[in-house]
């Protein structure tokens, strides 16, 4: 098995993790770290705006997938964490708008959490992809 780090930005390396890893074997798989509403320097964006945070977290997930020559259509599992599950569910149409046109409906887990890694973050999404 071979592993290749995928880091569109370098800020996470300072914290000791890759944004994702490509694992080569009988299939290519990508295990993505949780993506949130942060900019390219890892600074939280859109305080108190769940919808904007979901949109940016999805943008960041797409950037990580693209770094591995994959797309949302290659996602085979999602883990979603939200500080307010009801508010997240009100905005899940954003996931449908991204995954629906790709005819991709990966298995998903949504968990309510008391907080995320950085103050102000409301939503985090992690993914496993295979191609």
């Amino acid at each position: 098995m071979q592993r290749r780090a995928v880091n569109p930005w370098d800020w996470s390396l300072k914290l000791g993790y890759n944004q994702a890893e490509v694992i080569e074997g009988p299939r290519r798989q990508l295990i993505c770290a949780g993506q949130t509403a942060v900019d390219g320097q890892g600074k939280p964006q859109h305080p108190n705006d769940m919808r904007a945070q979901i949109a940016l977290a999805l943008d960041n997930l797409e950037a990580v997938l693209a770094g591995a020559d994959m797309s949302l259509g290659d996602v085979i599992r999602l883990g979603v964490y939200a500080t307010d599950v009801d508010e997240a569910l009100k905005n899940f149409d954003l996931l449908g708008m991204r995954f629906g046109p790709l005819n991709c409906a990966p298995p998903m887990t949504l968990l309510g959490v008391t907080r995320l890694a950085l103050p102000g973050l409301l939503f985090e999404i992690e993914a496993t992809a295979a191609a």
Side-chain angles (χ1 to χ4, degrees):
M1 178 177 76
Q2 293 181 319
R3 297 170 73 149
R4 178 176 60 89
V6 177
N7 288 298
W9 316 279
D10 64 358
W11 62 264
S12 65
L13 296 175
K14 297 172 194 162
L15 299 174
Y17 69 94
N18 292 313
Q19 293 292 319
E21 290 186 348
V22 175
I23 300 172
E24 306 255 4
R27 292 186 60 101
R28 279 183 67 228
Q29 290 190 6
L30 179 69
I31 312 301
C32 299
Q35 299 301 307
T36 59
V38 295
D39 64 15
Q41 288 73 48
K43 295 180 181 164
Q45 304 294 302
H46 311 298
N48 302 314
D49 187 340
M50 179 70 77
R51 189 166 187 84
Q53 286 201 19
I54 291 172
L56 183 52
L58 287 167
D59 289 345
N60 289 342
L61 176 58
E62 285 190 279
V64 171
L65 290 164
D69 298 321
M70 292 183 173
S71 71
L72 290 176
D74 296 312
V75 171
I76 60 171
R77 184 180 187 291
L78 291 172
V80 177
Y81 307 89
T83 59
D84 183 335
V85 171
D86 293 329
E87 190 64 23
L89 288 171
K90 288 179 192 174
N91 293 286
F92 257 45
D93 62 307
L94 292 171
L95 277 78
M97 290 167 36
R98 303 271 185 116
F99 286 95
L102 304 171
N103 293 318
C104 183
M108 178 188 318
T109 300
L110 170 61
L111 294 173
V113 296
T114 56
R115 65 163 285 190
L116 294 168
L118 299 174
L121 293 177
L122 307 173
F123 184 88
E124 185 164 345
I125 188 167
E126 61 185 16
T128 302

